[in-house]
Amino acid sequence: PVQIATLASLARRMIDLFWPLIAEDAGFGNPEQRPLFLTLETAQYYMARVANPLIEARGYFDSVRIERNRLYSQILDNLNKAAVVGFPPSEIAGRLKGAWVGEQAQARVYDHAQICAQHFRSYCLEHNLLDFSLQLSIFVNHLWKASLCRDHLLESYPHFIVDNVEEDTPVAHDIIAEWVSKTQSALIIFDTGAGYRSFLGADPESAHELNALCDETFSFSQSLVMSTEMKTLGRRLAESLEPR
């Protein structure tokens, strides 16, 4: 049967299936109990429970003038970026500071963001809560490395098609690279000139490296679905966004 999935949906499915096998090693406080998968809204709810005491008692983010919900969302996004790129939450502040060009005093906000993120991660582990970032980290660092889990996944999907690989993340590309060598057949589709999701963690460069793993490559320069007018609009937008 054909199944449509993302790396995130595969991660959730595998965690649910192999939870008793990996829960204790992954550091969850109640491995004998089932996990609770969080949505964006419920993740923000628990982030508020963790971050509010730090904000109220220690004056965290006192120089930030945005609504609390947006602040919680930004901290969660930092965790998500760490998961899809493949670095631990303990590096969040350092990476954000490395990209900051304003007053150094403002950089302490990034320290606050990292502390809140790490407190949230500890809270999730203690209470068997899995937000997107933790689901992906558990899949990559525990399930994919366990031969029993990986073999089950590879045997379940001996053929696969990966579309819009340029819009995916470095962690996903690493998984695909290993998966290709084990499949009976695979089709990887890469759109040149795309990658507009880079600000969400997409990495067109690592996606293009998958080309070397393929036995055959084909390039299609003529669109069979895009009208001339739409193609012109796309080119004009690209020129305005990145003028040469």
Side-chain angles (χ1 to χ4, degrees):
V2 175
Q3 295 191 28
I4 299 175
T6 62
L7 183 61
S9 65
L10 281 177
R12 175 167 178 165
R13 195 180 308 164
M14 292 290 287
I15 291 172
D16 195 43
L17 182 62
F18 289 102
W19 174 256
L21 186 66
I22 55 91
E24 186 173 359
D25 289 341
F28 286 93
N30 301 287
E32 71 284 351
Q33 298 179 12
R34 297 297 300 169
L36 176 63
F37 296 96
L38 302 180
T39 64
L40 176 60
E41 291 75 19
T42 54
Q44 287 183 348
Y45 169 79
Y46 286 109
M47 176 62 75
R49 296 184 64 173
V50 171
N52 270 343
L54 298 173
I55 295 173
E56 300 295 341
R58 302 187 188 179
Y60 277 21
F61 308 109
D62 56 353
S63 61
V64 177
R65 298 291 180 264
I66 61 175
E67 294 181 359
R68 288 281 179 91
N69 286 341
R70 281 193 60 198
L71 179 61
Y72 304 147
S73 178
Q74 288 295 317
I75 299 172
L76 289 169
D77 188 59
N78 289 334
L79 281 167
N80 294 342
K81 292 293 197 305
V84 300
V85 177
F87 62 88
S90 58
E91 295 183 13
I92 288 175
R95 289 171 179 261
L96 290 174
K97 289 177 182 178
W100 177 246
V101 294
E103 297 180 5
Q104 288 302 310
Q106 190 68 10
R108 65 191 177 92
V109 170
Y110 300 139
D111 292 320
H112 297 165
Q114 177 175 305
I115 292 171
C116 288
Q118 291 179 295
H119 275 61
F120 176 75
R121 175 58 59 83
S122 298
Y123 186 90
C124 287
L125 290 171
E126 182 181 353
H127 296 90
N128 286 19
L129 305 175
L130 289 102
D131 67 318
F132 170 82
S133 67
L134 189 52
Q135 291 177 45
L136 201 58
S137 296
I138 294 299
F139 176 75
V140 172
N141 297 318
H142 294 274
L143 289 167
W144 186 252
K145 292 181 179 180
S147 58
L148 178 65
C149 306
R150 185 176 64 252
D151 291 347
H152 168 80
L153 195 59
L154 296 176
E155 291 172 4
S156 299
Y157 305 103
H159 311 271
F160 74 68
I161 299 173
V162 187
D163 197 6
N164 295 118
V165 71
E166 79 288 345
E167 304 296 356
D168 228 322
T169 62
V171 165
H173 298 151
D174 291 343
I175 297 292
I176 293 169
E178 291 187 55
W179 203 331
V180 165
S181 64
K182 306 294 183 180
T183 60
Q184 297 180 32
S185 68
L187 171 62
I188 301 175
I189 303 172
F190 179 100
D191 289 339
T192 57
Y196 65 95
R197 293 184 183 272
S198 294
F199 64 97
L200 295 176
D203 190 345
E205 293 184 7
S206 68
H208 194 267
E209 293 175 0
L210 296 172
N211 178 55
L213 304 176
C214 299
D215 297 322
E216 296 181 85
T217 59
F218 304 89
S219 297
F220 299 93
S221 58
Q222 180 181 1
S223 173
L224 302 180
V225 294
M226 185 185 299
S227 66
T228 302
E229 294 79 7
M230 185 60 69
K231 188 174 182 179
T232 302
L233 174 62
R235 187 177 70 253
R236 295 286 176 82
L237 284 173
E239 290 171 353
S240 65
L241 292 171
E242 189 178 0
R244 290 180 172 80

